[in-house]
Amino acid sequence: DAGVTQSPTHLIKTRGQQVTLRCSPKSGHDTVSWYQQALGQGPQFIFQYYEEEERQRGNFPDRFSGHQFPNYSSELNVNALLLGDSALYLCASSFVIQGVGYGYTFGSGTRLTVV
Amino acid sequence: DQQVKQNSPSLSVQEGRISILNCDYTNSMFDYFLWYKKYPAEGPTFLISISSIKDKNEDGRFTVFLNKSAKHLSLHIVPSQPGDSAVYFCAASANTDKLIFGTGTRLQVFP
């Protein structure tokens, strides 16, 4: 049973460009959350998708957007990349029962470097 | 505003001894706490959790203690093994599945 799958594993982009990161959730999970982990920091919540809609959002600018597809997979898009966007981007999937999440499982992440 | 704090960036423990990792939080609405372990080039792996209605939860060599009045939790690993060497993150949530993470503690278990 595959866990959470993220692609690509590594990415180098130039400042000002746009990037799309992808995530396939664990089987049976319907909720996808995205986190940014900068060097030496803990993961920071970006947003969460459930039933193809953004359910919660952290303190990130509108340059960060996302999408969830009918098969529960998700994309994270970042526009107008800044050097400070360089980080490990983690996807986590879970399933929700009565508003509470369970089975929170992380992928291995996408390492984004902006030059 | 760091709602979850891990004030020790690193900890070094001899194999066989106890490792104690600490975590403090400021938000009294947090009702669920988790510990994750992270190896380089891998995503965080769930280790153990505790609900705010409990003060202790044990799973094999891992025990988490919660002191709600002090807004403090700790993870005890006994006995520590070299394979436990990793970065440990404390995380908390408030009746949702949005997790707030601490900055992590790097544990090094030496022979």
Side-chain angles (χ1 to χ4, degrees), chain A residues 35 37 42 48 55 94 104 107, chain B residues 38 43-44 89 97-99 102:
Chain A
Y35 288 80
Q37 186 179 10
Q48 182 185 81
R55 183 167 171 248
S94 56
Y104 225 82
Chain B
K38 187 178 184 304
F89 289 99
D97 54 355
K98 165 186 164 183
L99 297 179

Side-chain angles (χ1 to χ4, degrees), chain A residues 59-110:
Chain A
N59 190 25
F60 279 80
D62 292 343
R63 298 187 297 110
F64 289 76
S65 63
H67 189 77
Q68 186 179 35
F69 298 95
N71 66 354
Y72 307 122
S73 67
S74 177
E75 289 182 348
L76 164 65
N77 300 292
V78 187
N79 294 321
L81 284 167
L82 304 174
L83 296 178
D85 294 332
S86 296
L88 178 69
Y89 287 85
L90 294 163
C91 170
S93 72
S94 56
F95 59 93
V96 175
I97 300 176
Q98 295 183 336
V100 180
Y102 297 91
Y104 225 82
T105 305
F106 281 86
S108 297
T110 294

Side-chain angles (χ1 to χ4, degrees), chain B residues 8-64:
Chain B
S8 297
S10 64
L11 176 67
S12 188
V13 173
Q14 188 173 29
E15 181 179 6
R17 301 274 193 162
I18 184 172
S19 295
I20 300 177
L21 296 94
N22 294 303
C23 178
D24 296 296
Y25 61 95
T26 57
N27 189 343
S28 58
M29 297 300 292
F30 287 147
D31 58 3
Y32 194 58
F33 304 89
L34 309 92
W35 284 94
Y36 283 83
K37 179 170 70 173
K38 187 178 184 304
Y39 294 116
E42 294 183 13
T45 303
F46 171 75
L47 203 55
I48 192 169
S49 64
I50 187 167
S51 164
S52 60
I53 63 174
K54 295 186 174 182
D55 54 19
K56 177 183 175 181
N57 189 25
E58 193 171 353
D59 183 2
R61 296 186 298 113
F62 303 92
T63 303
V64 56

